């Protein structure tokens, strides 16, 4: 049973560029959440997707956008990258109507130079 | 707004000993969940233990147990018989029970070192 998989694991971008991060949820899960974890901090909720719609959004600017596909996989896009966007981006999946337990991937480490 | 506070940035314990990690939270809600997650160097966040606020009994999972004090808004994690594999970053997290999503609010974490 494959868990949550994320790609790429590491990437380096320069300021002003755009990045796309990808997530495949755990088998059987239909909901995907994205979190940003800055160095030495706890994860911060970016947004959650269910039925291809953004269900809730945290305190992040519009430069952060997402998408969920019919197979429940998801993408996180960040435009006009800033140095402060350097962080570990975690994807978590869950099953709506279940216990709500989140299963996390290993994250994508983004460095903005 | 709900907040989670972990006041111990780092802790250290000898192998086979017991350690307690502290967490306090602030919420005006009465129905919620509390969690402890472990994040080893591999970066994957792993659920250690969870507590439903309506349950008075403290949750236990093998060597891991919690001390849940609802009135004091305190939720500490006790690790008994510490093992080298317990070394990791530990995060306390809160989730509102009735929310539209299962969004988690995390504390800043406690880095646990286990000495052989």
């Amino acid at each position: 049973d494959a868990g949550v998989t994320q790609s790429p694991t590491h990437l380096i971008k320069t300021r002003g560029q755009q990045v796309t991060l990808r997530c495949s949820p755990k088998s059987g899960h239909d909901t995907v959440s994205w979190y940003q974890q800055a160095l030495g901090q706890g994860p911060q909720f970016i947004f959650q997707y269910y039925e291809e719609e953004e269900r809730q959004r945290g305190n992040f600017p519009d430069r952060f956008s997402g998408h969920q596909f019919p197979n429940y996989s998801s993408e996180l896009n960040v435009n006009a990258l800033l140095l402060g966007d350097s962080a570990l981006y975690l994807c978590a999946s869950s099953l709506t109507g279940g216990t709500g337990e989140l299963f996390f991937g290993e994250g994508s480490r983004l460095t903005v130079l | 707004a709900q907040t989670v506070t972990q006041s111990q940035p780092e802790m250290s314990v000898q192998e086979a000993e017991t350690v307690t990690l502290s967490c306090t939270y602030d919420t005006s809600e009465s129905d919620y969940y509390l969690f402890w997650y472990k994040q080893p160097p591999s970066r994957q966040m792993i659920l250690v233990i969870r507590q439903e606020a309506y349950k008075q009994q403290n949750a236990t999972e093998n060597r891991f147990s919690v001390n849940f004090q609802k009135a004091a808004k305190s939720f500490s994690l006790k690790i008994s018989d510490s093992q080298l594999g317990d070394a990791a970053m530990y995060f306390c997290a809160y989730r509102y029970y009735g929310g539209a999503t299962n969004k988690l609010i995390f504390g800043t974490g406690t880095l646990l070192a286990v000495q052989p």
Side-chain angles (χ1 to χ4, degrees), chain B residues 18-86:
Chain B
T18 296
V19 65
T20 298
L21 309 184
S22 301
C23 172
T24 58
Y25 60 95
D26 190 25
T27 182
S28 58
E29 307 294 345
S30 58
D31 293 327
Y32 50 87
Y33 296 103
L34 294 166
F35 305 85
W36 279 98
Y37 278 87
K38 168 185 178 181
Q39 188 178 41
S42 68
R43 309 182 316 197
Q44 186 173 23
M45 202 76 77
I46 301 165
L47 179 63
V48 174
I49 197 164
R50 110 186 198 161
Q51 175 81 42
E52 290 89 342
Y54 68 86
K55 290 187 178 178
Q56 294 187 340
Q57 186 172 7
N58 289 325
T60 299
E61 287 287 343
N62 301 314
R63 298 182 297 106
F64 299 88
S65 61
V66 299
N67 183 3
F68 173 48
Q69 302 289 329
K70 190 172 184 179
K73 295 180 182 175
S74 170
F75 183 61
S76 62
L77 174 70
K78 185 171 81 171
I79 306 175
S80 304
D81 186 25
S82 296
Q83 300 175 359
L84 295 177
D86 294 334

Side-chain angles (χ1 to χ4, degrees), chain A residues 3-106:
Chain A
V4 179
T5 58
Q6 293 186 243
S7 63
T9 54
H10 296 84
L11 69 166
I12 299 173
K13 294 287 188 178
T14 56
R15 280 177 297 176
Q17 284 190 314
Q18 179 264 344
V19 68
T20 297
L21 308 178
R22 296 175 177 82
C23 172
S24 292
K26 180 179 168 63
S27 178
H29 284 184
D30 57 6
T31 301
V32 173
S33 303
W34 288 92
Y35 288 80
Q36 180 195 65
Q37 186 178 12
L39 196 61
Q41 300 296 315
Q44 299 288 318
F45 176 78
I46 303 175
F47 42 51
Q48 184 178 89
Y49 277 83
Y50 170 67
E51 291 188 336
E52 303 178 49
E53 297 279 336
E54 184 183 288
R55 190 190 243 181
Q56 188 179 9
R57 186 179 186 91
N59 188 25
F60 281 81
D62 292 343
R63 298 186 297 108
F64 289 77
S65 63
H67 189 77
Q68 186 179 34
F69 300 93
N71 67 352
Y72 307 119
S73 67
S74 178
E75 288 182 351
L76 164 65
N77 301 290
V78 187
N79 294 322
L81 285 167
L82 304 174
L83 295 179
D85 295 331
S86 296
L88 179 67
Y89 289 85
L90 295 169
C91 172
S93 73
S94 57
L95 176 62
T96 297
T99 64
E101 181 179 344
L102 292 176
F103 289 79
F104 285 84
E106 294 188 358

Side-chain angles (χ1 to χ4, degrees), chain B residues 6-11 89 108-112:
Chain B
Q6 293 179 250
S7 58
Q8 305 156 315
E10 297 182 18
M11 293 283 284
M89 196 73 163
T108 52
T110 297
L111 182 62
L112 177 66

